[in-house]
Amino acid sequence: MRVYVPLTLPGLAEAYKTGELGTGPFVAYAVTPALREWYLSDDIEELEYAALNRAALASLRLLAADADAPRRRVVVAVDVPDGAAHADPDRGLEPAALGEVRVTGTVALARAAAVHVDLGDAENDVSAAADALPAADRGDDDAQFVVDGAEDHELLWYATQEIPNLVGLAD
């Protein structure tokens, strides 16, 4: 099963150093039944893109909690055994939990298929979105507009061999 793990650049650097994305349980995003129902598509590529975007929003939340992290969203796409990721059926249709899964066990960074990261030109919008996130969560439409501005930036795809170069950005 492909899951999308939200991180920050310092989080990616730590995963590179330890060789592990995390020891379970930790939150990731995947194509869950609730995400399929919400997205209303049978196209697996579109569904995977929706899960990636859910993870990008979770990465933004990590950035909001870490003022020192470079203002770039980071998502690692990794393949885990089917039984290693579970969606909470009680939270499945909550908007904040769409696509959310709990990954059990240790996941080696070597299992990663790709890394997705914002370009440097997204930093201002991502920074503003991280600052606006608490107000957006409280229903402020102007703040939500700012958060949506970060989503206008596509995360770029990087091969796992490029991780050493990416983590150099976090130093």
Side-chain angles (χ1 to χ4, degrees):
M1 167 183 246
R2 170 79 38 104
V3 299
Y4 297 89
V5 181
L7 294 174
T8 61
L9 282 171
L12 181 62
E14 182 65 19
Y16 182 70
K17 185 174 96 178
T18 64
E20 296 177 351
L21 278 170
T23 55
F26 62 89
V27 173
Y29 293 81
V31 177
T32 62
L35 185 73
R36 284 180 186 275
E37 185 176 326
W38 170 74
Y39 197 74
L40 299 175
S41 175
D42 289 330
D43 185 323
I44 191 63
E45 288 182 14
E46 288 181 19
L47 290 164
E48 297 255 343
Y49 185 71
L52 170 67
N53 283 329
R54 301 296 297 168
L57 178 58
S59 175
L60 185 64
R61 291 188 182 287
L62 294 173
L63 291 172
D66 183 357
D68 295 330
R71 303 332 243 175
R72 295 184 187 191
R73 298 167 298 162
V74 177
V75 176
V76 178
V78 62
D79 295 315
V80 299
D82 286 341
H86 304 281
D88 182 346
D90 294 331
R91 292 192 64 219
L93 293 176
E94 289 179 24
L98 284 170
E100 185 179 286
V101 294
R102 299 268 178 210
V103 178
T104 57
T106 301
V107 177
L109 184 59
R111 295 185 66 97
V115 180
H116 303 270
V117 181
D118 278 311
L119 270 179
D121 68 355
E123 285 184 0
N124 288 338
D125 289 339
V126 170
S127 181
D131 292 342
L133 199 53
D137 286 344
R138 291 189 302 271
D140 184 317
D141 289 337
D142 292 333
Q144 185 61 52
F145 182 78
V146 173
V147 171
D148 292 344
E151 293 176 6
D152 290 341
H153 295 276
E154 294 287 330
L155 296 178
L156 295 185
W157 180 95
Y158 293 91
T160 56
Q161 298 88 331
E162 296 177 272
I163 292 174
N165 295 332
L166 291 170
V167 298
L169 297 172
D171 296 332

